[in-house]
Amino acid sequence: MGSLLQIQGDEAVLLRITHSNLKSFSADVRFSLQMTIEFVKEKIWKKCGTSVSSMLLELYDDMGAKISDLSDNSRTLGFYSPQNGYQLHVIDVDPSSVTSGGWLEDTSLVDKYKISEEAYDKRDGTFRKFKEKLAHQNPSAHETKMSDKYMEELCANIKLGDRCQIEPGEKRGVVKFVGQAETLGPGFWVGVQYDEPLGKHDGMVKGTRYFDCPPLHGAMVRPDKVKVGDYPERDPFEEEEI
């Protein structure tokens, strides 16, 4: 008999919790049938924020039909014979409750913190201050990153038709383009047609054609990667042993 009573005392039920003010709120919570309605409310309070004194509970079956109001805090949950899958609906009767007005669901109703540009500039530890510190520590790098003339001076000795070698990798080819390429970023670029299919395109990059070459022979590189001079096309058999 003692064992049977223990099993009955441990019986529990899984209920779906909904809320009158929180339309998007829904939670499956397991309750002991031996819990009083007051303890049930305390458990729900931790889930949705409605205080016990402001909470009314309604029990619905799995078809949406109302079973009962759980109005007696001293009765056990088992008195109302809930089944797994039933709905326990919370009604918050406090007009000043944290759940009222939609504040917990609609962030557009919440006043946003705003700060003036002048006040933001006076603050320490902001992202703007961090960027200014980087620019102060390495002003040349900051300027070249933003300049449309980036590496223009390195293009002075690079001309269309020049034989060249690209580092790293010692890939050889011919210069097909020298200038700015807006689709790739600020500064100057060099378009190269490799002797072998070591490139990525045929001279068209991101919808813009900078030069023409066979497929997979084209590349756009920064001028500092280009060495012009006597770089003839390699003999594919020159490194083979005889």
Side-chain angles (χ1 to χ4, degrees), residues 226-241:
V226 181
K227 294 181 179 180
V228 296
D230 185 17
Y231 296 105
E233 188 171 350
R234 288 191 176 95
D235 183 345
F237 303 105
E238 66 180 357
E239 295 182 357
E240 293 187 1
E241 295 184 358

Side-chain angles (χ1 to χ4, degrees), residues 61-232:
D61 65 17
D62 52 1
M63 300 299 291
K66 185 175 180 179
I67 303 294
S68 177
D69 293 317
L70 279 58
S71 55
D72 190 341
N73 286 343
S74 63
R75 289 194 180 276
T76 64
L77 179 61
F79 173 81
Y80 298 95
S81 302
Q83 302 293 320
N84 286 325
Y86 277 21
Q87 175 189 355
L88 200 55
H89 185 61
V90 178
I91 300 176
D92 193 330
V93 297
D94 181 3
S96 60
S97 170
V98 294
T99 68
S100 64
W103 303 102
L104 296 182
E105 296 181 299
D106 188 353
T107 57
S108 67
L109 299 175
V110 182
D111 290 335
K112 307 299 189 297
Y113 176 73
K114 297 180 181 179
I115 186 172
S116 67
E117 287 291 322
E118 181 180 359
Y120 185 73
D121 282 336
K122 292 180 179 179
R123 286 196 168 191
D124 294 324
T126 63
F127 182 65
R128 183 179 297 174
K129 283 291 195 296
F130 174 72
K131 289 173 61 179
E132 291 174 354
K133 182 179 180 180
L134 289 181
H136 179 72
Q137 291 175 343
N138 193 359
S140 60
H142 181 73
E143 291 173 3
T144 55
K145 180 181 177 182
M146 302 301 295
S147 174
D148 289 336
K149 303 297 184 180
Y150 181 47
M151 292 195 178
E152 180 183 18
E153 68 281 358
L154 298 180
C155 293
N157 297 320
I158 303 176
K159 297 179 176 57
L160 296 181
D162 282 350
R163 290 291 305 176
C164 63
Q165 181 168 284
I166 308 302
E167 302 294 345
E170 298 183 349
K171 299 184 289 286
R172 293 187 181 183
V174 60
V175 176
K176 300 282 286 187
F177 172 87
V178 180
Q180 294 172 307
E182 295 181 358
T183 59
L184 297 179
F188 279 69
W189 296 80
V190 177
V192 178
Q193 175 181 324
Y194 291 134
D195 297 331
E196 301 175 74
L198 302 173
K200 297 181 179 181
H201 49 73
D202 63 352
M204 178 178 286
V205 183
K206 296 183 179 180
T208 300
R209 180 161 296 283
Y210 294 99
F211 58 93
D212 291 296
C213 71
L216 299 180
H217 282 66
M220 295 287 285
V221 298
R222 287 296 190 181
D224 61 341
K225 307 297 183 185
V226 181
K227 294 181 179 180
V228 296
D230 185 17
Y231 296 105

